[in-house]
Amino acid sequence: MDKNEIEIISLIDSAKFIGLPLAITVLTVIIMLVDGFDLQAMAFVAPEVLKEWGIARAALTPALTGSMVGMAIGSVALGWAGDRIGRRNSYIACMAFLALGSFFCAHAGSLTGLTIWRVVTGIGLGGVTPLAAAMISEWTPRHARSVAVACAMVAVPLGGMLGAGVAQRVIPMYGWRGVFWIGAALPLVLFVAAMFLLPESPKYLAQRPHLHGRLAKLLNRLFRERRFTGDERFVVAEPPPPPESWLAALLGATYRSTTLLLWAAFALNTLALFSCVNLLPTVLSFTGMSTAESLQGSKFFNFGGFFGAVGGAVMIGWWGSRRVGAALSTVGAVATFLIGTTILDSGGALDGRSLALLTLAGMAMNGMQSFLYTVGAHSYPTYIRASGVGCAQTVSRAGGLLGTVAGGSFFALEPQPPVSYFFYAVAVAVALVVVSFASLRTHIPGRKRSASPQAQGGG
């Protein structure tokens, strides 16, 4: 290595988490809270939209799935853009899509209009998560990386939990459109904040020599001293980008197994998660619960996600991602199955047993979603990290779309099957997540295991 050559990965790993990495994590967590709110906004208002417009439950399926169609587009398009025009610029674009989509959802006068603008919102939603995982992974030293990414990912269900509580109060006073007004205002504020406060990824800057002066200034902020002048040659100790396209790289011999197993785990877990996120209030209303009571179920489901992601991230540091993730999903499969056996006994209200099971199910599904982004970011090198995670998220939307469409078809069946069948089907999907996730070879090793080389150049 030349005297003036500096390897950026080891440099970031030598920095303290307190300071710039923590500030970036906090800003990202706030953005992800809003992401969680906007993600579930349609589910919150669904029972009231059905009442106001006098439509059947099955007819609402396009509006419920619109965001997932947009997320499939945004995951690939904004993930690809993040690798080419920068994580920061793509992240800011996500905020614009969220604000624009939610604003026009609040003004929608028909189911078609509502569906179209949920697709626009979904484009922003699709880009936020993979870009957040890439941004935090590339600014945070290794010893704090898993927990930092998990804190960002857990903000999604936490935003959903807070959103359910907000919806319980806003809808009676301002109607269902008030939820979308809030969903438009919050990302607009964050759009402005990100313009001024969010820095670019150090690995992205290091791979572009004409931006090394900008990187030097950021590194001086990171280390709180004037250590770099911009004349240094910053490098990233990862395999150089191959001449092939990013998709060819993901499906090439080196990453094919990792990519396909990530896709399977993402799709199955998202099928289960989004079936609950989008349909849980409506499914619970089938048992005779009020809108407020069904939103209470959503609050506890999202509340569990906090413990699954943060608690799991701490345990991953000790036992590694394979053991912790597989165990958590197993618990989730059992809890979801038991919800199916007990939900009809609730008598139109959620008792302590049902709320506990919903919390465990949310802990598993939301926690696993966080682990998948963390493991995905760990599994790919910088030049395809955002594209790899974004593509996995896009494939996952096929699972989420399938789950929501199947749920809509479930509502349309005559005679109506027992509500318990919905939860049994979700439990099967969660059980299959265990198989695909445990089969990955690019897991994050824990401190309880002997040190091993970093998988596939990721991290």
Side-chain angles (χ1 to χ4, degrees):
M1 181 177 291
D2 297 339
K3 183 178 181 181
N4 208 34
E5 186 173 275
I6 299 175
E7 202 284 310
I8 198 69
I9 296 177
S10 58
L11 185 66
I12 295 297
D13 286 344
S14 70
K16 295 179 180 180
F17 178 65
I18 303 299
L20 185 59
L22 176 59
I24 293 169
T25 300
V26 170
L27 178 59
T28 303
V29 166
I30 295 171
I31 291 172
M32 297 301 284
L33 283 170
V34 175
D35 177 80
F37 181 95
D38 279 340
L39 175 65
Q40 299 190 38
M42 189 63 228
F44 299 151
V45 305
E48 296 301 313
V49 172
L50 292 173
K51 293 177 186 177
E52 181 176 318
W53 288 353
I55 57 179
R57 289 183 176 90
L60 200 60
T61 300
L64 289 169
T65 57
S67 62
M68 282 179 287
V69 174
M71 290 171 81
I73 298 169
S75 297
V76 171
L78 291 170
W80 175 87
D83 286 333
R84 282 150 185 82
I85 65 171
R87 318 305 198 209
R88 176 182 178 274
N89 291 335
S90 294
Y91 218 12
I92 290 171
C94 291
M95 297 299 101
F97 277 110
L98 290 180
L100 183 69
S102 294
F103 175 83
F104 283 102
C105 280
H107 289 84
S110 67
L111 188 58
T112 299
L114 187 58
T115 300
I116 290 171
W117 291 111
R118 282 301 289 172
V119 172
V120 173
T121 305
I123 293 174
L125 293 170
V128 166
T129 307
L131 288 167
M135 180 70 79
I136 293 178
S137 294
E138 294 172 4
W139 264 115
T140 305
R142 181 178 300 279
H143 70 272
R145 190 170 299 151
S146 293
V147 174
V149 172
C151 286
M153 297 304 109
V154 78
V156 176
L158 193 58
M161 182 190 74
L162 295 173
V166 169
Q168 282 180 311
R169 290 161 177 78
V170 169
I171 291 174
M173 292 188 292
Y174 304 104
W176 60 266
R177 297 177 191 275
V179 174
F180 287 120
W181 276 113
I182 295 172
L186 294 176
L188 184 60
V189 171
L190 291 172
F191 174 87
V192 177
M195 288 283 290
F196 291 97
L197 301 177
L198 190 66
E200 184 53 87
S201 157
K203 290 184 182 180
Y204 175 86
L205 296 173
Q207 292 178 332
R208 289 154 179 82
H210 66 285
L211 297 177
H212 283 185
R214 181 176 164 191
L215 175 58
K217 293 179 181 179
L218 288 172
L219 292 174
N220 288 336
R221 286 179 56 193
L222 174 66
F223 289 97
R224 303 179 189 179
E225 59 180 88
R226 188 172 177 78
R227 185 186 300 186
F228 307 99
T229 64
D231 295 326
E232 299 84 1
R233 180 172 176 262
F234 296 104
V235 298
V236 180
E238 290 183 334
E244 59 199 3
S245 69
W246 61 269
L247 184 59
L250 291 176
L251 295 176
T254 303
Y255 298 106
R256 184 185 302 121
S257 174
T258 295
T259 296
L260 294 178
L261 285 170
L262 272 175
W263 286 2
F266 260 105
L268 289 164
N269 195 71
T270 306
L271 186 154
L273 176 61
F274 276 64
S275 294
C276 293
V277 164
N278 284 327
L279 299 171
L280 188 59
T282 307
V283 169
L284 293 178
S285 70
F286 261 50
T287 65
M289 295 181 193
S290 65
T291 298
E293 188 72 17
S294 63
L295 286 172
Q296 184 78 350
S298 286
K299 283 171 62 177
F300 274 80
F301 180 84
N302 284 292
F303 179 63
F306 174 82
F307 296 99
V310 175
V314 173
M315 289 190 288
I316 281 175
W318 286 95
W319 292 288
S321 58
R322 175 180 280 112
R323 292 180 182 179
V324 174
L328 187 63
S329 280
T330 300
V331 171
V334 173
T336 307
F337 181 85
L338 291 177
I339 293 171
T341 66
T342 61
I343 197 67
L344 294 179
D345 300 330
S346 63
L350 292 170
D351 56 18
R353 177 179 56 176
S354 297
L355 289 174
L357 290 171
L358 284 167
T359 301
L360 285 174
M363 181 178 72
M365 296 178 212
N366 285 296
M368 177 55 72
Q369 202 77 351
S370 169
F371 299 163
L372 286 169
Y373 284 108
T374 306
V375 173
H378 174 80
S379 300
Y380 296 115
T382 300
Y383 67 89
I384 55 169
R385 178 169 293 124
S387 294
V389 177
C391 194
Q393 180 174 269
T394 294
V395 172
S396 78
R397 298 316 166 205
L401 186 63
L402 175 62
T404 307
V405 170
S409 301
F410 174 85
F411 296 140
L413 290 175
E414 293 292 345
Q416 182 66 58
V419 173
S420 57
Y421 285 19
F422 171 85
F423 293 102
Y424 296 155
V426 172
V428 171
V430 177
L432 292 174
V433 172
V434 179
V435 179
S436 53
F437 184 76
S439 300
L440 274 168
R441 292 178 300 172
T442 54
H443 278 283
I444 301 169
R447 289 191 291 272
K448 291 288 186 180
R449 299 171 55 191
S450 58
S452 60
Q454 188 177 343
Q456 306 282 3

